Amino acid sequence: VPGSASDARLKSVTNGSITLTWTPPTTGRADYYLVQLCVSESECSVFPNSTGADKTQGTRFPFPKAVVDRYAGSPLLVGTAYNITIFSCNVYDEDGSGHISG
């Protein structure tokens, strides 16, 4: 199981996108990362356009950097507060299932 990503930072903001960076986990192996945005506790989306609690969907970022420009399939909205979680993931068997740590 990968450890959690740490030291997440908002590197840049443009009119409709954000660039995030973070430090890879110090324990376990992270094969990729998922970025989840939430506008409330019950409204979340794993980038770019999957909604709900299924964190196995979304863009798999292979490095600790992501440019995010969508929320639930729509452009990011200027003036909207988003809570962001970065999930460290690894693949451990042939069917692609794995562990997710957030």
Side-chain angles (χ1 to χ4, degrees):
V1 176
S4 296
S6 62
D7 197 29
R9 297 182 184 265
L10 184 62
K11 188 169 176 128
S12 69
V13 177
T14 67
N15 190 20
S17 73
I18 56 175
T19 300
L20 306 166
T21 61
W22 56 89
T23 301
T26 57
T27 59
R29 183 187 84 226
D31 295 319
Y32 61 94
Y33 304 91
L34 296 174
V35 176
Q36 180 186 57
L37 288 85
C38 299
V39 293
S40 71
E41 286 187 30
S42 62
E43 291 185 54
C44 294
S45 174
V46 177
F47 177 78
N49 59 9
S50 58
T51 57
D54 186 0
K55 297 179 189 75
T56 64
Q57 303 299 314
T59 299
R60 294 180 175 196
F61 295 98
F63 303 106
K65 179 179 179 180
V67 176
V68 177
D69 63 356
R70 318 267 320 147
Y71 171 79
S74 299
L76 294 181
L77 299 174
V78 174
T80 300
Y82 297 95
N83 293 314
I84 299 168
T85 304
I86 299 164
F87 295 95
S88 304
C89 310
N90 71 4
V91 177
Y92 66 91
D93 60 22
E94 294 174 3
D95 71 359
S97 62
H99 291 290
I100 297 176
S101 178

